[in-house]
């Protein structure tokens, strides 16, 4: 499913965070959002599944998932978040066993037999390349896992709900190279069936995995385009400067 | 100069701590020394006779435990609901502040005021009997703030990441409350309730006119009967201070009361510490 933002603006406590964002996140593509800290990357990502809906944020413009607005009555917040899964920067496993962590979300959406649950746990752990590392301790506390393993478990937990869109907010910033590589491989695999929006500070990572890159600074889209275009012949000096030096004067 | 000031402040803090400890230890030591002689198996297992000068404190122990147990059962669900409401639904800062203030005021109301209120409202106006359930109700109201704050404190310590992760999985607020917050508020209220029970166990003023009588009370066979409690029994014995047997039994009953308070408080603190370690 495609996600489109139309003239999306966001204000928090009278401060403009996002200004007139017009973007399209397409199915079958990985879109990486890059930009300096405080530029609005995470705010944009968090707008896409309305995770801050209970806060007094002021939105204007629209976001559509497929053909319907995510602000319309067609999507309840729960349905929306079921369709659009999210993985955060800091892994947050629940203080339960590994199996229970994976089943936690999905059990609130559908009933399943013990066999189905068991199969789902194995399938999702395999999908994030974690099964071989934890297969002998699925009933042990998830808190005992390393940070990298915890992040992959969070990803598996999100996948268990079967989202069509995956939002990832700097998911590899605290991970070791092995876990980073495992997560990147998974994302490259997932894009065949869904849409991926990936916020990262790591320019090399964006170059490795993105099909489409968005450069966001001070709440504005400075430039967006295919990875080849952005890294090869970007139109603005600001983009070239940021992608080459990771510094920005905007 | 700063160093001297620092040492003076440290000394004063240590002095304040030492005074507090000496006072508490002093009271406990006196109670143990004076009361231990009165305590034996028959003192705990036999009812009082001759206005407490003879016999034991069996009915008083049963009465006290009955009243505080029912008080706990009454206030526990209300405290959890109040804490959940404050934590999840009361978003207006003004009302948050007001609810905090009201709970603090409720916590600070002198116990005699509860007693007078219960006497005037329930007995004089509503026509209720002097009964143990009325005492439980008043004690439940008294322990409500401490349970609510304890439960709310645990809810506030839940990391925002867990909340976000739950919502990001498509859980409704109700599902999130059932899955995480209810258990957590329960744990908070349980540890707080031992501290609350310890507080109300020794209360005399709020119950002496509405739930207890000074002599003749046994194990209640219905709702509308008074009970004897340790606190009111000690009051009766203290009023007979010219009789050596009454004084000895008074010390014994006091030691039992303070032991129960100490045990409940110790359990409460241990549970709170364990919960904090888990977090």
């Amino acid at each position: 499913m495609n996600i489109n933002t139309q003239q999306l603006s966001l204000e928090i406590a009278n401060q403009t965070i996002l200004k007139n964002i017009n973007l399209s996140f397409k199915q079958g593509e990985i879109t990486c959002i890059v930009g300096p800290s405080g530029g609005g990357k995470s705010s944009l990502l968090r707008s896409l599944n309305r995770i801050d809906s209970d806060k007094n944020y002021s939105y204007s413009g629209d976001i559509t998932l497929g053909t319907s607005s995510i602000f319309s009555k067609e999507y309840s917040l729960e349905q929306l978040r079921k369709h659009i899964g999210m993985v955060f920067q800091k892994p947050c496993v629940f203080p339960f066993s590994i199996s229970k962590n994976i089943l936690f979300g999905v059990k609130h959406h559908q009933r399943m037999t013990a066999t189905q649950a068991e199969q789902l746990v194995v399938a999702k752990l395999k999908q994030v390349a974690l099964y071989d590392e934890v297969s002998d301790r699925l009933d042990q506390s998830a808190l005992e896992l390393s940070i990298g393993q915890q992040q992959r478990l969070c990803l598996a937990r999100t996948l268990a709900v079967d989202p069509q869109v995956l939002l990832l907010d700097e998911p590899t910033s605290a991970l070791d190279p092995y876990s980073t590589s495992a997560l990147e491989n998974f994302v490259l695999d997932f894009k065949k069936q869904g849409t991926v929006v990936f916020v990262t500070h790591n320019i090399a990572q964006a170059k490795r995995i993105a099909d489409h890159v968005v450069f966001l600074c001070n709440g504005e889209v400075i430039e967006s385009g295919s990875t080849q275009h952005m890294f090869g012949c970007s139109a603005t000096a600001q983009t070239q400067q940021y992608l080459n030096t990771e510094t920005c004067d905007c | 100069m700063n160093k001297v000031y620092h040492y003076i402040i440290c000394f004063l803090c240590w002095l304040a701590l030492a005074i507090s400890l000496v006072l508490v230890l002093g009271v406990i030591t006196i109670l143990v020394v004076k009361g231990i002689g009165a305590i034996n198996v028959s003192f705990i297992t036999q009812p009082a006779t001759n206005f407490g000068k003879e016999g034991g404190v069996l009915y008083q122990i049963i009465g006290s435990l009955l009243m505080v147990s029912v008080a706990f059962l009454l206030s526990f669900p209300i405290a959890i609901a109040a804490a959940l409401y404050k934590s999840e639904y009361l978003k207006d800062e003004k009302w948050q502040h007001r609810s905090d203030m009201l709970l603090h005021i409720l916590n600070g109301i002198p116990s005699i005021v509860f007693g007078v209120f219960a006497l005037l409202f329930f007995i004089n106006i509503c026509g209720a009997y002097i009964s143990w359930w009325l005492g439980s109700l008043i004690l439940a109201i008294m322990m409500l703030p401490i349970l609510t704050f304890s439960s709310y404190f645990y809810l506030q310590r839940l990391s925002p990441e867990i909340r976000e992760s739950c919502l990001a999985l498509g859980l409704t607020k109700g599902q999130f409350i059932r899955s995480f917050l209810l258990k957590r508020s329960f744990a908070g209220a349980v540890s707080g309730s031992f501290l609350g029970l310890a507080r109300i166990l020794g209360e005399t003023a709020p119950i002496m006119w509405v739930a207890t009588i000074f002599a003749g009370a046994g194990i209640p066979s219905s709702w509308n009967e008074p009970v004897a409690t340790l606190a009111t029994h000690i009051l009766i014995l203290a009023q007979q201070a010219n009789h050596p047997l009454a004084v000895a039994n008074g010390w014994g009953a006091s030691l039992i009361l303070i032991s129960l308070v100490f045990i409940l408080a110790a359990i409460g603190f241990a549970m709170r510490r364990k919960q904090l370690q888990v977090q």
Side-chain angles (χ1 to χ4, degrees):
Chain A
M1 261 183 169
N2 293 351
I3 303 187
N4 295 298
T5 66
Q6 287 126 26
Q7 298 290 316
L8 180 71
S9 295
L10 166 64
E11 272 190 24
I12 302 173
N14 292 329
Q15 203 181 344
T16 304
I17 306 298
L18 298 173
K19 287 177 229 165
N20 296 325
I21 307 285
N22 291 296
L23 288 170
S24 183
F25 304 102
K26 293 190 180 116
Q27 175 156 7
E29 280 190 0
I30 299 172
T31 304
C32 276
I33 304 174
V34 297
S37 295
K41 302 186 297 294
S42 293
S43 298
L44 173 59
L45 198 74
R46 294 168 71 88
S47 303
L48 301 180
N49 68 345
R50 299 182 61 196
I51 195 76
D52 294 319
S53 63
D54 61 339
K55 293 173 185 154
N56 264 341
Y57 292 176
S58 167
Y59 287 101
S60 63
D62 200 8
I63 302 171
T64 55
L65 174 63
T67 52
S68 307
S69 167
I70 65 165
F71 299 104
S72 70
K73 284 182 180 170
E74 189 173 326
Y75 291 114
S76 66
L77 282 175
E78 295 74 37
Q79 279 297 317
L80 178 70
R81 290 166 189 164
K82 187 176 173 297
H83 287 309
I84 306 179
M86 189 170 198
V87 175
F88 300 90
Q89 180 179 7
K90 194 174 151 193
C92 175
V93 296
F94 301 141
F96 313 136
S97 69
I98 293 169
S99 299
K100 210 172 165 191
N101 260 275
I102 292 176
L103 297 172
F104 181 81
V106 68
K107 275 200 165 174
H108 285 97
H109 297 297
Q110 65 185 73
R111 288 180 180 208
M112 55 176 71
T113 62
T115 318
Q116 285 172 326
E118 213 170 287
Q119 285 169 347
L120 185 72
V121 169
V122 173
K124 295 305 158 191
L125 284 173
K126 281 184 176 168
Q127 207 175 345
V128 297
L130 188 59
Y131 183 71
D132 291 341
E133 295 166 51
V134 300
S135 59
D136 56 340
R137 49 183 170 140
L138 294 178
D139 292 326
Q140 284 181 20
S141 171
L143 296 169
E144 291 168 14
L145 299 176
S146 70
I147 296 293
Q149 289 172 327
Q150 286 189 11
Q151 188 65 302
R152 280 181 281 154
L153 181 62
C154 290
L155 191 56
R157 187 177 65 197
T158 304
L159 292 175
V161 181
D162 198 21
Q164 292 144 352
V165 179
L166 204 51
L167 310 177
L168 299 126
D169 191 0
E170 298 180 50
T172 58
S173 61
L175 303 194
D176 58 277
Y178 175 77
S179 293
T180 301
S181 165
L183 199 137
E184 284 180 7
N185 288 337
F186 159 75
V187 168
L188 288 166
D189 196 41
F190 181 83
K191 77 169 183 179
K192 292 171 197 159
Q193 65 192 68
T195 312
V196 180
V197 187
F198 199 113
V199 167
T200 183
H201 269 296
N202 187 334
I203 300 297
Q205 185 176 49
K207 201 172 181 178
R208 273 199 304 272
I209 62 170
D211 298 298
H212 198 87
V213 176
V214 175
F215 175 48
L216 200 67
C217 191
N218 287 336
E220 285 181 287
V221 175
I222 306 296
E223 193 173 350
S224 74
S226 70
T227 309
Q228 273 184 331
H229 163 79
M230 292 290 277
F231 283 94
C233 52
S234 54
T236 66
Q238 290 153 309
T239 311
Q240 284 172 9
Q241 184 193 359
Y242 186 77
L243 293 180
N244 290 325
T245 63
E246 294 190 29
T247 58
C248 179
D249 295 329
C250 44
Chain B
M1 188 61 193
N2 276 344
K3 219 170 183 181
V4 173
Y5 181 73
H6 170 77
Y7 283 127
I8 290 171
I9 292 293
C10 278
F11 172 75
L12 289 174
C13 289
W14 277 107
L15 188 66
L17 179 66
I19 291 170
S20 313
L21 287 176
V22 165
L23 284 173
V24 173
L25 289 174
V27 170
I28 291 172
T29 308
I30 291 168
L31 278 175
V32 171
V33 169
K34 298 268 194 181
I36 199 79
I39 293 177
N40 50 44
V41 176
S42 65
F43 188 70
I44 296 168
T45 56
Q46 289 197 349
T49 52
N50 196 11
F51 289 96
K53 289 191 280 290
E54 290 159 20
V57 288
L58 175 66
Y59 291 161
Q60 283 74 15
I61 292 174
I62 291 171
S64 292
L65 292 178
L66 173 70
M67 251 193 329
V68 297
S69 306
V70 174
F72 164 74
L73 292 176
L74 287 174
S75 65
F76 190 77
I78 298 171
I80 286 182
L84 280 171
Y85 186 78
K86 255 175 79 60
S87 165
E88 294 306 304
Y89 296 100
L90 197 61
K91 295 296 175 196
D92 188 335
E93 270 185 37
K94 259 188 212 165
W95 281 104
Q96 274 286 352
H97 179 69
R98 283 173 193 162
S99 67
D100 278 349
M101 200 172 69
L102 284 173
L103 283 168
H104 279 300
I105 290 170
L106 184 61
N107 200 33
I109 291 175
S111 54
I112 189 74
V113 176
F114 283 103
V116 171
F117 166 75
L119 178 69
L120 294 178
F121 182 74
F122 289 108
I123 294 186
N124 288 2
I125 295 174
C126 300
Y129 291 103
I130 293 176
S131 47
W132 62 268
W133 71 263
L134 201 47
S136 292
L137 183 66
I138 295 302
L139 294 179
I141 296 170
M142 284 186 71
M143 72 187 292
L144 194 60
I146 194 167
L147 259 69
T148 307
F149 278 129
S150 180
S151 186
Y152 182 67
F153 167 75
Y154 275 75
L155 293 180
Q156 290 304 294
R157 287 180 66 92
L158 184 74
S159 78
E161 285 88 3
I162 285 191
R163 185 184 300 270
E164 273 190 347
S165 299
C166 282
L167 297 181
L169 289 169
L171 268 68
T172 61
K173 201 167 196 173
Q175 287 169 332
F176 170 60
I177 288 174
R178 278 200 301 278
S179 310
F180 263 98
L181 295 187
L182 205 55
K183 284 177 197 164
R184 201 171 181 85
S185 61
F186 194 86
V190 164
S191 70
S193 56
F194 284 101
L195 301 175
L197 287 173
R199 186 201 158 186
I200 62 168
L201 191 62
E203 288 291 353
T204 316
I207 55 170
M208 66 182 175
W209 298 314
V210 296
T212 64
I213 52 174
F214 292 101
I219 297 172
S221 56
S222 74
W223 288 94
N224 283 324
E225 282 182 34
V227 288
T229 68
L230 280 168
T232 47
H233 187 63
I234 292 164
L235 181 66
I236 298 161
L237 293 170
Q239 285 167 342
Q240 307 170 64
N242 55 351
H243 198 293
L245 280 177
V247 173
N249 281 355
W251 285 116
S254 301
L255 182 57
I256 287 176
L257 179 62
I258 204 86
S259 303
L260 288 173
V261 169
F262 186 77
I263 290 166
L264 288 174
I267 294 171
F269 280 117
M271 288 186 75
R272 180 167 286 186
R273 199 169 54 185
K274 196 177 171 192
Q275 285 289 336
L276 292 176
Q277 277 170 354
V278 169
Q279 287 165 47

